[in-house]
Amino acid sequence: MLTKNSSNYSIMNKRILTLGLASFLSVGCFAQVKPLIPNKDAMRFSKAINKDNAYKHLSVLASDAYEGRETGKKGAWMAADYIRDYFKSLGLKGPVDGSYFQKIDLVSYALSENMLTINGQPKVAYKDFVIASNAVGLKGFTFSSDDLIFAGYGVSNDSYNDYNGIDVAGKIVMIFVNGDPTKTLDPNDRRAMMMARSRKINYLAQNKAKAVILIDPALDNLSEERKAAYLSGQMVMKSKETVERMEKMNPFTSISISTATADEILKVGSTSVSAVQNKIADTKQPASQTINVAISASAMKKETPLRCENVLGFLEGSDPKLKKEVLVLTGHYDHIGITPEAPGADKINNGADDDGSGTTGVLLMAKAFTDAKKAGKGPKRSILFMTVVGEEKGLWGSDWYSEHPVFPIENTIADLNTDMIGRIGEKYLGKPDSANYIYSVGSKMLSSELGRLSEQVNATYTKMILDYKYDDPKDTQRIYYRSDHYNFAKLGIPIIFYYDGMLEQDYHQPGDEVSKINFPLLAKRAQLTYYTAWELANGAKRPAVDLDGKGNPKK
């Protein structure tokens, strides 16, 4: 699941519920719903969805060998190959001109050359300085100046202002990347540190500085892993929207330098990094100054295509009239890869729960439905099993499919999305029902029939707690918008997003390991998805879109 609330999509104004009604609807009780007549065939083939089969897949996909499955890198390619081979072994068809891969136009923009000189002396890239490719516009940059402004910590607030009396417009400004003399930041809180850094850079960009030079002690002993991360470049999915946005962008240029390089510059101003830090700490006053040093820098970008694909397996429906209608079952197989700066020896973000568990659920359902078809009990409608890539980068894979659908959008009846279904979230830890719940997200946003069917299926087969917490319009985490189902919902396709609520422990950390997965619970949640899919694929009618996307009746 995405690291933070996505800003790439418009915010939908969800229905307003009274506090009492919201509380009542937060948990669905299966006892209040009239069950369906159990389908013996559905129950028979559900046996393929079990904890042992789940472990078989997830122990491979979330192993260290897959290196955290980062989009555009080796581990993701290995995962894509594994899923393709499994789909093929089941007898699913490759629906993309005979292929199981839907290619995504992914490129990397890396620096083909970069340069920094101080008083005419060239500095060494990835030793004395670093220019990140995402801090350079598509056309690159070049600048030179006979002086720069040193502005301490780059802090500007009511009690302390490094820019007091200073006009930064058109200037090169040098600041400490970390630190704030007005507050103490936890260096282990990477989110807080990044937000503080962004505020400093945004201030300079908004005040029309030419560029910022960041004094970053992390460069003093740059590891080979971190150097490789800089050299790997900036990944970009070249959708129409992205290309148009990048062509208009002119990112504010930032250059990071080592402490030694900063000392070389500050020496001209008769000070040093340690001296100015001590002075600010002692006086509680800024120590900003203009330094008359000749500085020049430039960087150019090079575009390199990267391998990237959604993996699709197609099961054709058995009913001549209904098989043109398609149910989509999704889960994202990518994760965030390797984090060189992660504390401890383990640097691999295995992504067992996020979203190895959901991907595993899709594979288990593919097995159950293909078993049914081989026994002459295949679904009436067609099913597209789709594991998507790039979710962690910004819902890339599902966004690409929404712009380049393999099957007509008007024939797509629903999307059931499994993203994190293998663990127990904080709300349920230690409770009697801890291993018998799932967050059901979005089932009642576009189709009252789909929401009702979901509850009937659960009351008939799995009898889990359906928690609707994240359908609340007051949800500050905006979970409804943060996984691949949303790229179907925005097209008016009914969705259900199944999610365990596990944002508290090991989320996007190396600790998201296979050893922490509750496999019986993963299998049960996948069975709920499967039974819902069975009813959708075999029902007399597709679920009507009778709600406006906010849970209100259509006008």
Side-chain angles (χ1 to χ4, degrees), residues 2 45 73 93 113 245 454 456:
L2 285 175
F45 298 109
K73 296 188 177 181
K93 295 180 180 179
E113 57 183 79
R245 185 171 66 248
S454 171
Q456 288 179 305

Side-chain angles (χ1 to χ4, degrees), residues 329-441:
L329 304 179
T330 53
H332 73 90
Y333 70 85
D334 67 298
H335 195 52
I336 64 171
I338 298 172
T339 307
E341 67 271 20
D346 188 2
K347 309 295 183 183
I348 298 176
N349 300 282
N350 299 82
D353 192 31
D354 184 13
D355 181 33
S357 64
T359 299
T360 294
V362 174
L363 301 185
L364 295 175
M365 289 186 283
K367 169 66 172 169
F369 277 109
T370 53
D371 283 352
K373 183 165 186 176
K374 290 171 184 175
K377 302 294 182 179
K380 295 178 181 179
R381 291 180 177 84
S382 298
I383 300 178
L384 178 63
F385 301 91
M386 180 165 66
T387 59
V388 295
V389 71
E391 192 269 358
E392 303 290 2
K393 303 291 185 181
L395 311 186
W396 283 356
S398 54
D399 188 22
W400 186 267
Y401 186 88
S402 73
E403 290 189 5
H404 308 86
V406 176
F407 298 96
I409 292 298
E410 60 269 21
N411 291 349
T412 303
I413 68 165
D415 171 56
L416 305 182
N417 182 45
T418 48
D419 187 352
M420 300 174 63
I421 59 170
R423 293 183 66 176
I424 299 171
E426 189 174 74
K427 176 181 175 180
Y428 286 90
L429 280 173
K431 295 185 178 181
D433 51 10
S434 63
N436 196 42
Y437 81 95
I438 188 69
Y439 289 103
S440 176
V441 185

